[in-house]
């Protein structure tokens, strides 16, 4: 039987819990804030996209017998750990200075700034380790494992998330063109989301044409994701989102609604969504990825 999206999310949560317990054993006081940050209630969109892309690329759908399922889910932890690191650092007082995340006090509020900086720093090598272990568990050759790690680290670094975050900070309280905003969104959000999709295709050993389609899907769905995030920051309920709304305006951030208005932003998100779904239509088994794409567009948290 094919697992539902909720079952898949529960399997990923289970793998996170089990793997962290095993991996952090004996590591001392850093284990607690790491567990606090990672095991909080995230939507797990990035690992879901990785598994969805793997299925769309012809990876076997449903639970794989024995070691394979947990190896796939272990690799899926890589992007989630990079993402969690970015949230911990993004919330710091020197960044967006947020007190609430995933429905509870941010890591620096709970454990102090020093612990939050180190938690974020520790999550990045853990992410690489999860991908390497997942690749070994799936029996992927070393060059493929290296490529997977390269995709994730490129998306996380200066040409991806970190570079995009800096552009985002530099644009605060400034007039920003729509093109400049698209560059910020691509870097800070869409590159990592696209990396999940590219990795799913590469891990499934799909043809390059399929991998390219998954990457283009990921970029478009990543841009849709950030556009919806900007909309929710204006219209969403803080208790539902688990973070304080209205922060973008308070910080003078350039956002899609601030440039195009709320209705214009909604139209833009739908355009990105259509573009994304069009890319995966010809693939072997795109249903799960399509479902996750709809979730990104229709989410209220
Ligand atoms: C090295 C200091 C330093 C920074 C690293 C902080 C950073 C670079 C990048 C931040 C990138 C960032 C936070 C982008 C926003 C992406 C976004 C919309 C996050 C919310 O993702 P969800 O909704 O969150 O998937 P959950 O909690 O559900 O996982």
């Amino acid at each position: 039987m094919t697992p539902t999206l909720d079952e898949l999310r529960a399997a990923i949560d289970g793998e996170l819990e089990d793997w962290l317990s095993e991996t952090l054993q004996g590591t001392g006081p850093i284990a607690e804030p790491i567990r606090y940050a990672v095991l909080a209630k995230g939507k797990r969109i990035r690992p879901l996209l990785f598994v969805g892309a793997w299925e769309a690329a012809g990876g076997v759908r449903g639970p794989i017998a024995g070691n394979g399922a947990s190896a796939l889910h272990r690799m899926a932890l890589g992007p989630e750990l990079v993402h969690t690191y970015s949230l911990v650092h993004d919330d710091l007082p020197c960044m967006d200075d947020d007190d609430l995340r995933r429905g509870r006090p941010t890591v620096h509020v709970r454990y102090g700034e020093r612990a939050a900086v180190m938690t974020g720093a520790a999550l990045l090598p853990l992410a690489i380790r999860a991908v390497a272990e997942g690749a070994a568990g799936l029996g992927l050759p070393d060059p493929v494992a290296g490529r997977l790690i390269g995709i994730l680290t490129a998306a996380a670094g200066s040409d991806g998330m970190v570079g995009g975050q800096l552009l985002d900070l530099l644009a605060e309280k400034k007039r920003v063109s729509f093109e400049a905003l698209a560059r910020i969104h691509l870097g800070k959000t869409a590159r990592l989301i696209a990396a999940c999709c590219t990795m799913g295709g590469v891990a499934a050993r799909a043809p390059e044409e399929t991998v390219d389609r998954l990457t283009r899907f990921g970029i478009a769905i990543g841009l849709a994701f950030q556009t919806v995030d900007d909309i929710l920051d204006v219209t969403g309920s803080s208790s539902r989102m688990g973070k304080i709304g209205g922060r973008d305006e308070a910080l003078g951030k350039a956002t899609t609604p601030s440039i195009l208005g709320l209705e214009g932003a909604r139209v833009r998100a739908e355009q990105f969504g259509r573009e994304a779904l069009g890319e995966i239509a010809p693939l072997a088994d795109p249903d799960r990825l399509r479902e996750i794409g709809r979730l990104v567009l229709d989410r209220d948290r």
Side-chain angles (χ1 to χ4, degrees):
M1 265 263 293
T2 305
T4 64
L5 212 52
D6 284 343
E7 287 166 345
L8 186 55
R9 190 183 284 108
I12 287 161
D13 277 333
E15 181 65 20
L16 267 176
E17 169 78 60
D18 293 351
W19 188 70
L20 280 185
S21 298
E22 190 188 309
T23 308
L24 294 176
Q25 218 166 30
T27 55
I30 192 70
E32 192 180 324
I34 289 178
R35 288 178 60 84
Y36 179 86
V38 175
L39 300 178
K41 258 197 151 351
K43 295 183 289 298
R44 313 303 186 207
I45 294 283
R46 290 153 192 83
L48 289 175
L49 281 167
F50 166 76
V51 177
W54 183 79
E55 288 179 3
V60 181
R61 190 175 244 264
I64 320 163
N67 184 40
S70 70
L72 189 72
H73 297 157
R74 182 154 313 172
M75 189 179 295
L77 306 188
E80 181 65 17
L81 295 170
V82 170
H83 164 62
T84 305
Y85 129 68
S86 81
L87 298 181
V88 173
H89 280 191
D90 190 51
D91 290 335
L92 284 167
C94 63
M95 297 274 165
D96 283 359
D97 193 12
D98 277 305
D99 290 348
L100 191 70
R101 171 69 71 179
R102 292 177 164 174
R104 52 191 194 180
T106 45
V107 176
H108 67 273
V109 168
R110 176 78 173 74
Y111 294 98
E113 270 183 64
R114 289 172 164 187
V117 169
M118 285 184 272
T119 297
L123 285 170
L124 196 53
L126 281 173
I128 307 303
R129 182 166 164 185
V131 175
E133 287 184 13
L138 288 170
L140 295 172
D142 285 351
V144 177
R147 182 176 175 195
L148 288 160
I149 290 170
I151 293 165
L152 184 59
T153 49
S158 46
D159 191 32
M161 202 176 69
V162 172
Q165 173 77 352
L166 183 57
L167 293 179
D168 184 70
L169 295 173
L170 293 173
E172 279 178 4
K173 302 186 176 67
K174 299 221 172 78
R175 280 180 76 84
V176 168
S177 68
F178 191 71
E179 291 66 36
L181 182 68
R183 239 184 346 268
I184 294 172
H185 285 185
L186 180 65
K188 79 168 184 173
T189 306
R191 291 274 328 268
L192 181 60
I193 286 181
C196 302
C197 304
T198 313
M199 287 171 70
V202 171
R205 315 291 317 263
E208 287 308 308
E209 190 196 328
T210 300
V211 174
D212 289 346
R213 273 194 181 280
L214 288 167
T215 302
R216 291 195 297 271
F217 165 85
I219 296 283
I221 211 68
L223 293 172
F225 183 94
Q226 186 59 55
T227 307
V228 171
D229 207 75
D230 287 358
I231 295 169
L232 287 175
D233 189 71
V234 180
T235 63
S237 127
S238 293
S239 64
R240 182 96 196 99
M241 294 189 295
K243 60 181 180 180
I244 312 283
R247 294 290 291 147
D248 290 341
E249 196 184 351
L251 293 166
K253 294 265 186 207
T255 65
T256 316
S258 73
I259 296 179
L260 295 183
L262 267 178
E263 204 33 50
R266 287 193 186 104
V267 170
R268 198 74 191 113
E270 277 302 321
Q271 278 170 351
F272 283 135
R274 264 198 308 280
E275 201 181 301
L277 297 180
E279 285 291 349
I280 55 169
L283 298 187
D285 194 354
D287 289 355
R288 168 99 68 200
L289 206 48
R290 206 177 276 137
E291 189 184 356
I292 302 167
R294 277 310 334 160
L295 189 77
V296 164
L297 295 168
D298 299 337
R299 70 198 174 96
D300 63 357
R301 75 181 190 98

